[in-house]
Amino acid sequence: MDHQAIKNRFGIIGSSAALNYALNVAIQVANTDLSVLINGESGVGKEVFSQIIHVLSARKHNPFIAVNCGAIPEGTIDSELFGHEKGSFTGAVDSRKGYFETVNGGTIFLDEIGEMPLGTQARLLRVLEAGEYIRVGSSKVQKTDVRVIAASNKDLLEFTQKGRFREDLYYRLNTVPIRVPALRDRKEDIPLLFRKFAVDFAERYKSPPVQLDEEAKNVLINYPWPGNVRELKNIAEQISVLSQDKHINAPVLRQFLPENNFSRLPVLASQTNGGANQKEFNNEREILYKLFFDMKKDVNELKKMFFDVMRNPSAINAERYHTENMLGEYQGDSHPPMRQPSQPVILNTTNGIQQHEEIEESLSIMDKEKELIIKALKKHRGKRKDASMDLGISERTLYRKLKEYDINE
Ligand SMILES: Nc1ncnc2c1ncn2[C@@H]1O[C@H](COP(=O)(O)OP(=O)(O)OP(=O)(O)O)[C@@H](O)[C@H]1O
Ligand SMILES: [Mg+2]
């Protein structure tokens, strides 16, 4: 299969030398059993590369599983990966197979490997060196034949110097390194990617694709894209959904780029301590954008309803019916809805005076965040990985927030 065919098959867009080089290494290494370490910033496409390697390998008919080491609590990661025996810890009511057992013959993708606890790293090293592992609470050595592809957006070598990552494991994993380039290091791919996403979203939302003029293209190319392809995709979606005019010029585009809006946004309390890390900061900022866009949509819908009824007061019953139906959408949520069905928007035309009843709505950022998290979990049927991607936060952050807000979805 030539490179272009592989790109088409996996939906990879781009033709920069750095991307082609990374793809070349992935193709060449696929058919060996060597461990691969994929490095690159968040959102560059590391997971896509791991799938390419598996699908082009002799293991392609065997299982592939992606495990996010950053999202599994430290106390359960050994059991998830290597299994456990009944009674080996409180709550271990049955014995359980781990991924290294169930995926035997296939490939495991260990994402965010830098977050793996040191004890688990030692167990992983044994798998890589001898193909052996022991279930938690057992003394029986078991054999497995699993190919490991690991990924990190951190500098693992630096982690080894700090004692956070085993040096022997680092060199064992790093037999073949693949560096997926950041978007800002392959600027020529940016317009291609935007075009592709604009066409995809136009199809999804049944509207003409948005088009950038030359100046807007320049703005797009020169934006640093800290969230890489994932961020570009999000922005393309926001523009596709929210822009009435499909011809986008530079000032319009700038409104969608976080840096320009940033100063107008409130600051979350947790960000005011100087230690907040930049990635989480950006991710939380993305949540706020989503939140504002949702609110903007709500306000526009309400405005439209209000003016419709002003124009045609006899339609009030129909409008009210529609309003209550719309509010009913929230009823399934275990979290109190943003607008309670008992507080519908009622346009009161008594005495010919039209009044707009106050809508009691929580404006707390934390409430909104909780609500978005619940929505995302519902949308993705409880799949935390997909929900966290949709929310633009890491699975670990999502996990932390579920605990913090006491969400049991
Ligand atoms: N070259 C590309 N062409 C088209 N889409 C891409 C490309 N690279 C990545 N994507 C898309 O960008 C999104 C992010 O990719 P992916 O999840 O693989 O990133 P990642 O590097 O694993 O990020 P993280 O470190 O946050 O886990 C996905 O929707 C993926 O399909
Ligand atoms: Mg990933």
Side-chain angles (χ1 to χ4, degrees), residues 339-351:
R339 293 163 299 193
Q340 303 282 354
S342 58
Q343 305 165 319
V345 183
I346 298 171
L347 299 171
N348 186 346
T349 54
T350 326
N351 306 329

Side-chain angles (χ1 to χ4, degrees), residues 42-43 45-48 68 109 111-112 151 153 230 385 389:
S42 181
K46 297 187 290 298
E47 186 149 351
V48 186
N68 187 334
F109 173 52
D111 205 356
E112 292 192 40
N153 51 27
R230 184 179 295 119
K385 183 177 168 60
M389 275 171 70

Side-chain angles (χ1 to χ4, degrees), residues 7 10-15 19 38-51 68 109 111-112 151-154 180-181 183 186 189 192-193 196-197 200 227-233 279 283 385 389 393-395:
K7 283 182 187 171
F10 291 92
I12 295 225
I13 306 292
S15 53
L19 183 75
I38 306 174
N39 202 262
E41 290 178 13
S42 181
V44 286
K46 297 187 290 298
E47 186 149 351
V48 186
F49 269 78
S50 74
Q51 288 160 1
N68 187 334
F109 173 52
D111 205 356
E112 292 192 40
S152 175
N153 51 27
K154 308 272 165 48
V180 187
L183 210 45
R186 50 183 176 113
D189 290 345
L192 297 176
L193 279 158
K196 160 81 167 57
F197 295 141
D200 286 353
N228 292 291
V229 184
R230 184 179 295 119
E231 185 183 13
L232 179 64
K233 201 170 174 175
K279 188 178 166 197
N283 287 337
K385 183 177 168 60
M389 275 171 70
I393 58 177
S394 72
E395 241 179 303

